[in-house]
Structure formats: C-alpha cells, structure tokens
Amino acid sequence: MRTKLLFLVLAMAAVCQAKDIKTVVLKTQPEMHCANCEKKIKENIRFEKGVKAIKTDLKTKTVTIEYDADKTTVGNIINGFKKIKYDATVVKSAPTTKK
C-alpha cells in the first residue's frame, strides 16, 4: 500500500511540474542567407531566457525555436533578435506540448 501511495504522489508531482514547451517559426529581416548569419543567430538567441532549442534552415530562411512558455514569450524572443540587429516575424506557431 505504501508503495502505491508513494508512486501516486510522485506521479502527481511530475504532472504539476510539466513544462509548457511551444514552438515558433520565424523569418528574419535581413534574411538569413549564409552560415555566418546562422551562427550569429544561434549563438545569441540561445541566451534568451526560456529558449530550449534553435534550428535554422537556409533553404527556407527560417528559424525554428522551441521555448518554455512559462519563462518567455514570442515577443521576448523577437526582442532578442532586435538586440542583434534582426527583425523577426512569426511564420507559424505550433501547438503546446507538455514535457
């Protein structure tokens, strides 16, 4: 009985601490057109609070960012781009996933 109760308590704690992970796809202006642009974006945006992962695609000239919505917003991420002299606009927002 104690084992079941302990398991139940631990399961409830894990659910309560689930993170609200969201994904946003952005285009930048000036457009990201070379490896140096990719590097500049990745090396600077990764320091924005709540950013979990950054993927860049030179073909489509987009930046896909996974972030913790409990710690930041898309607006804060866009402001992070402004710090490095890029304007970012949202192409697509993906649904929330709990992790």
Side-chain angles (χ1 to χ4, degrees):
M1 183 67 180
R2 284 185 181 175
T3 305
K4 288 181 184 178
L5 183 59
L6 179 61
F7 178 75
L8 182 61
V9 169
L10 290 174
M12 292 286 286
V15 169
C16 291
Q17 292 185 6
K19 293 182 180 181
D20 187 12
I21 304 298
K22 293 186 178 185
T23 303
V24 64
V25 180
L26 304 162
K27 279 212 177 236
T28 62
Q29 190 63 22
E31 287 188 332
M32 180 180 57
H33 63 277
C34 66
N36 286 335
C37 297
E38 278 185 305
K39 184 179 177 183
K40 181 178 182 180
I41 288 169
K42 285 181 177 179
E43 287 184 352
N44 288 282
I45 300 302
R46 70 185 174 115
F47 290 111
E48 290 299 314
K49 184 177 180 178
V51 171
K52 299 296 178 192
I54 304 168
K55 294 178 188 169
T56 54
D57 186 345
L58 280 176
K59 228 182 260 186
T60 60
K61 299 180 180 181
T62 59
V63 181
T64 304
I65 298 176
E66 275 188 25
Y67 65 97
D68 185 344
D70 294 331
K71 294 183 178 179
T72 194
T73 64
V74 173
N76 290 340
I77 294 169
I78 289 172
N79 285 336
F81 277 91
K82 287 180 182 176
K83 292 176 193 173
I84 58 171
K85 308 288 190 257
Y86 281 89
D87 288 323
T89 55
V90 176
V91 174
K92 180 175 114 179
S93 288
T96 302
T97 58
K98 297 279 184 178
K99 289 188 179 180

